[in-house]
PDB file of all heavy atoms in Angstrom:
ATOM      1  N   LEU B1371       2.038  16.390  17.494  1.00 98.00           N
ATOM      2  CA  LEU B1371       0.832  17.274  17.406  1.00 98.00           C
ATOM      3  C   LEU B1371      -0.327  16.633  18.174  1.00 98.00           C
ATOM      4  O   LEU B1371      -0.579  15.448  18.036  1.00 98.00           O
ATOM      5  CB  LEU B1371       0.426  17.375  15.897  1.00 98.00           C
ATOM      6  CG  LEU B1371       1.437  17.981  14.900  1.00 98.00           C
ATOM      7  CD1 LEU B1371       1.046  17.769  13.473  1.00 98.00           C
ATOM      8  CD2 LEU B1371       1.517  19.451  15.151  1.00 98.00           C
ATOM      9  N   CYS B1372      -0.926  17.449  18.985  1.00 97.00           N
ATOM     10  CA  CYS B1372      -2.064  17.038  19.624  1.00 97.00           C
ATOM     11  C   CYS B1372      -3.327  17.511  18.876  1.00 97.00           C
ATOM     12  O   CYS B1372      -3.306  18.675  18.324  1.00 97.00           O
ATOM     13  CB  CYS B1372      -2.116  17.664  20.993  1.00 97.00           C
ATOM     14  SG  CYS B1372      -3.654  17.456  22.022  1.00 97.00           S
ATOM     15  N   ALA B1373      -4.330  16.668  18.655  1.00 96.00           N
ATOM     16  CA  ALA B1373      -5.460  17.027  17.877  1.00 96.00           C
ATOM     17  C   ALA B1373      -6.743  16.604  18.621  1.00 96.00           C
ATOM     18  O   ALA B1373      -6.866  15.491  19.101  1.00 96.00           O
ATOM     19  CB  ALA B1373      -5.393  16.367  16.510  1.00 96.00           C
ATOM     20  N   VAL B1374      -7.751  17.532  18.691  1.00 93.00           N
ATOM     21  CA  VAL B1374      -8.952  17.294  19.406  1.00 93.00           C
ATOM     22  C   VAL B1374     -10.045  17.075  18.329  1.00 93.00           C
ATOM     23  O   VAL B1374     -10.132  17.899  17.428  1.00 93.00           O
ATOM     24  CB  VAL B1374      -9.285  18.484  20.349  1.00 93.00           C
ATOM     25  CG1 VAL B1374     -10.676  18.314  20.909  1.00 93.00           C
ATOM     26  CG2 VAL B1374      -8.270  18.582  21.417  1.00 93.00           C
ATOM     27  N   SER B1375     -10.755  16.021  18.413  1.00 89.00           N
ATOM     28  CA  SER B1375     -11.851  15.749  17.503  1.00 89.00           C
ATOM     29  C   SER B1375     -13.063  16.319  18.093  1.00 89.00           C
ATOM     30  O   SER B1375     -13.542  15.886  19.219  1.00 89.00           O
ATOM     31  CB  SER B1375     -12.022  14.236  17.352  1.00 89.00           C
ATOM     32  OG  SER B1375     -13.046  13.981  16.429  1.00 89.00           O
ATOM     33  N   LYS B1376     -13.765  17.261  17.382  1.00 82.00           N
ATOM     34  CA  LYS B1376     -14.949  17.886  17.883  1.00 82.00           C
ATOM     35  C   LYS B1376     -16.050  17.701  16.959  1.00 82.00           C
ATOM     36  O   LYS B1376     -15.970  17.652  15.658  1.00 82.00           O
ATOM     37  CB  LYS B1376     -14.636  19.402  17.981  1.00 82.00           C
ATOM     38  CG  LYS B1376     -15.694  20.284  18.645  1.00 82.00           C
ATOM     39  CD  LYS B1376     -15.191  21.631  18.815  1.00 82.00           C
ATOM     40  CE  LYS B1376     -16.307  22.609  19.363  1.00 82.00           C
ATOM     41  NZ  LYS B1376     -16.856  22.154  20.608  1.00 82.00           N
ATOM     42  N   ASP B1377     -17.285  17.376  17.527  1.00 78.00           N
ATOM     43  CA  ASP B1377     -18.446  17.047  16.748  1.00 78.00           C
ATOM     44  C   ASP B1377     -19.103  18.341  16.197  1.00 78.00           C
ATOM     45  O   ASP B1377     -19.465  19.222  16.955  1.00 78.00           O
ATOM     46  CB  ASP B1377     -19.450  16.325  17.616  1.00 78.00           C
ATOM     47  CG  ASP B1377     -20.600  15.775  16.802  1.00 78.00           C
ATOM     48  OD1 ASP B1377     -20.675  16.023  15.596  1.00 78.00           O
ATOM     49  OD2 ASP B1377     -21.458  15.141  17.400  1.00 78.00           O
ATOM     50  N   TYR B1378     -19.265  18.393  14.821  1.00 75.00           N
ATOM     51  CA  TYR B1378     -19.946  19.553  14.274  1.00 75.00           C
ATOM     52  C   TYR B1378     -21.246  19.174  13.610  1.00 75.00           C
ATOM     53  O   TYR B1378     -21.628  19.696  12.570  1.00 75.00           O
ATOM     54  CB  TYR B1378     -19.005  20.235  13.208  1.00 75.00           C
ATOM     55  CG  TYR B1378     -17.832  21.065  13.909  1.00 75.00           C
ATOM     56  CD1 TYR B1378     -16.706  20.464  14.278  1.00 75.00           C
ATOM     57  CD2 TYR B1378     -18.027  22.420  14.128  1.00 75.00           C
ATOM     58  CE1 TYR B1378     -15.757  21.169  14.908  1.00 75.00           C
ATOM     59  CE2 TYR B1378     -17.080  23.166  14.764  1.00 75.00           C
ATOM     60  CZ  TYR B1378     -15.899  22.531  15.159  1.00 75.00           C
ATOM     61  OH  TYR B1378     -14.884  23.288  15.776  1.00 75.00           O
ATOM     62  N   GLY B1379     -21.914  18.200  14.200  1.00 75.00           N
ATOM     63  CA  GLY B1379     -23.234  17.813  13.780  1.00 75.00           C
ATOM     64  C   GLY B1379     -23.214  17.122  12.415  1.00 75.00           C
ATOM     65  O   GLY B1379     -22.507  16.125  12.238  1.00 75.00           O
ATOM     66  N   SER B1380     -23.927  17.682  11.448  1.00 73.00           N
ATOM     67  CA  SER B1380     -24.111  17.026  10.155  1.00 73.00           C
ATOM     68  C   SER B1380     -22.779  16.924   9.440  1.00 73.00           C
ATOM     69  O   SER B1380     -22.641  16.060   8.461  1.00 73.00           O
ATOM     70  CB  SER B1380     -25.136  17.650   9.304  1.00 73.00           C
ATOM     71  OG  SER B1380     -24.813  19.060   9.087  1.00 73.00           O
ATOM     72  N   SER B1381     -21.826  17.787   9.694  1.00 70.00           N
ATOM     73  CA  SER B1381     -20.530  17.774   8.984  1.00 70.00           C
ATOM     74  C   SER B1381     -19.635  16.682   9.555  1.00 70.00           C
ATOM     75  O   SER B1381     -18.516  16.430   9.051  1.00 70.00           O
ATOM     76  CB  SER B1381     -19.796  19.134   9.120  1.00 70.00           C
ATOM     77  OG  SER B1381     -20.545  20.097   8.497  1.00 70.00           O
ATOM     78  N   GLY B1382     -20.007  16.082  10.747  1.00 75.00           N
ATOM     79  CA  GLY B1382     -19.134  15.107  11.295  1.00 75.00           C
ATOM     80  C   GLY B1382     -18.137  15.728  12.280  1.00 75.00           C
ATOM     81  O   GLY B1382     -18.329  16.879  12.628  1.00 75.00           O
ATOM     82  N   ASN B1383     -17.182  14.961  12.604  1.00 80.00           N
ATOM     83  CA  ASN B1383     -16.119  15.454  13.498  1.00 80.00           C
ATOM     84  C   ASN B1383     -15.067  16.222  12.754  1.00 80.00           C
ATOM     85  O   ASN B1383     -14.861  15.908  11.502  1.00 80.00           O
ATOM     86  CB  ASN B1383     -15.473  14.366  14.298  1.00 80.00           C
ATOM     87  CG  ASN B1383     -16.404  13.741  15.353  1.00 80.00           C
ATOM     88  OD1 ASN B1383     -17.603  13.932  15.250  1.00 80.00           O
ATOM     89  ND2 ASN B1383     -15.860  13.024  16.249  1.00 80.00           N
ATOM     90  N   LYS B1384     -14.412  17.112  13.410  1.00 86.00           N
ATOM     91  CA  LYS B1384     -13.344  17.772  12.770  1.00 86.00           C
ATOM     92  C   LYS B1384     -12.126  17.797  13.749  1.00 86.00           C
ATOM     93  O   LYS B1384     -12.235  17.943  14.942  1.00 86.00           O
ATOM     94  CB  LYS B1384     -13.740  19.283  12.594  1.00 86.00           C
ATOM     95  CG  LYS B1384     -12.824  20.116  11.675  1.00 86.00           C
ATOM     96  CD  LYS B1384     -13.374  21.500  11.450  1.00 86.00           C
ATOM     97  CE  LYS B1384     -14.647  21.412  10.599  1.00 86.00           C
ATOM     98  NZ  LYS B1384     -15.221  22.819  10.380  1.00 86.00           N
TER      99      LYS B1384
END
Side-chain angles (χ1 to χ4, degrees):
Chain B
L1371 299 166
C1372 174
V1374 173
S1375 179
K1376 189 170 169 64
D1377 187 359
Y1378 284 87
S1380 59
S1381 298
N1383 288 17
K1384 190 178 296 182

